[in-house]
Amino acid sequence: MAAADELAFHEFEEASSLLAETPDAATTSGSGQLSPQGHVAVAVDSGGSYGAEEEGEESDRTALLQEKPQPGLWTFGYYQSFFDVDTSQVLDRIKGSLLPRPGHNFVRHHLRNRPDLYGPFWICATLAFVLAVTGNLTLVLAQRRDPSIHYSPQFHKVTVASVTIYCYVWLVPLALWGFLRWRKCVRERVGPYTFLETVCVYGYSLFVFIPTVVLWLIPVPWLQWLFGALALALSAASLVFTLWPVVREDTRLVAAVLLSTVVLLHALLATGCKFYFFQPLPLAPPLQATSLPPHLLLPPTPRSQVT
């Protein structure tokens, strides 16, 4: 009960008289403080300040716990953030790469300063696997149509496809990023994307070739080239529309040469895969009758005489 009496509010004669004279006076939680009107505000501290201090200490502890040290470059934790994406984000970025349009920047509208390596990694792996499998299936189907075609499983195509795709997605963006960084030093207005953003743009731009490679199983040459041209146009347009806001501040010559080089390298990748993985098989050599030398010929058997 004593503790309850200490925490209870008490009325003071001076405070009552002051409040009676000025009923609009403001009160505060601390004693001896001046109100905005210049009057003395009197209140009994009931321990509320201690609770506020405890809440402040707890918030400070929470902030310290949230401030985790950044992982090093050679640790898995450093690269974990680049794979921290969900399915909806990956599908949205794939959709953005399949439907390029002028004025729609893939980096600003889809990446939003959060590039990932999950989508480009699996897109490249899927494309390399599909290239190798469909290349072998094309040869199997050709052998069924023409038995004179000689076929043997070509497992080395998996390695060739993987090395080609991954080198293209990493080395070409590296060269492009380095060139844009150099141009930024020459012209202050040119602001390049980060290296991971450039890799992410190239990785997602290759998704359109996955269904195209499957459609190349159709044994119609002009239809294969039509599908390849459409896929190349969509993929190259996605790269050009994304890079144009960066290079348009540069000179016209540099912008034209850079974008032409990007499209040319993309076309070389597509046509190289078409010729290498879907090349016609050589015909099996026909069997030739060989004549034995005279000394290996068997002597004629004598005819049986009729007795």
Side-chain angles (χ1 to χ4, degrees), residues 222-271:
W222 67 268
L223 197 59
Q224 293 177 351
W225 285 108
L226 178 61
F227 290 145
L230 292 176
L232 178 61
L234 289 175
S235 184
S238 177
L239 293 177
V240 171
F241 293 155
T242 303
L243 295 175
W244 173 246
V246 177
V247 301
R248 66 182 176 183
E249 299 295 339
D250 210 327
T251 61
R252 293 183 178 180
L253 178 61
V254 173
V257 171
L258 180 62
L259 294 180
S260 300
T261 304
V262 169
V263 175
L264 180 61
L265 291 176
H266 225 55
L268 288 176
L269 176 68
T271 54

Side-chain angles (χ1 to χ4, degrees), residues 9 15 19 24-46 49:
F9 288 94
L19 292 175
D24 58 342
T27 60
T28 59
S29 60
S31 61
Q33 295 180 352
L34 293 176
S35 63
Q37 289 82 4
H39 300 283
V40 178
V42 180
V44 178
D45 193 355
S46 60
S49 61

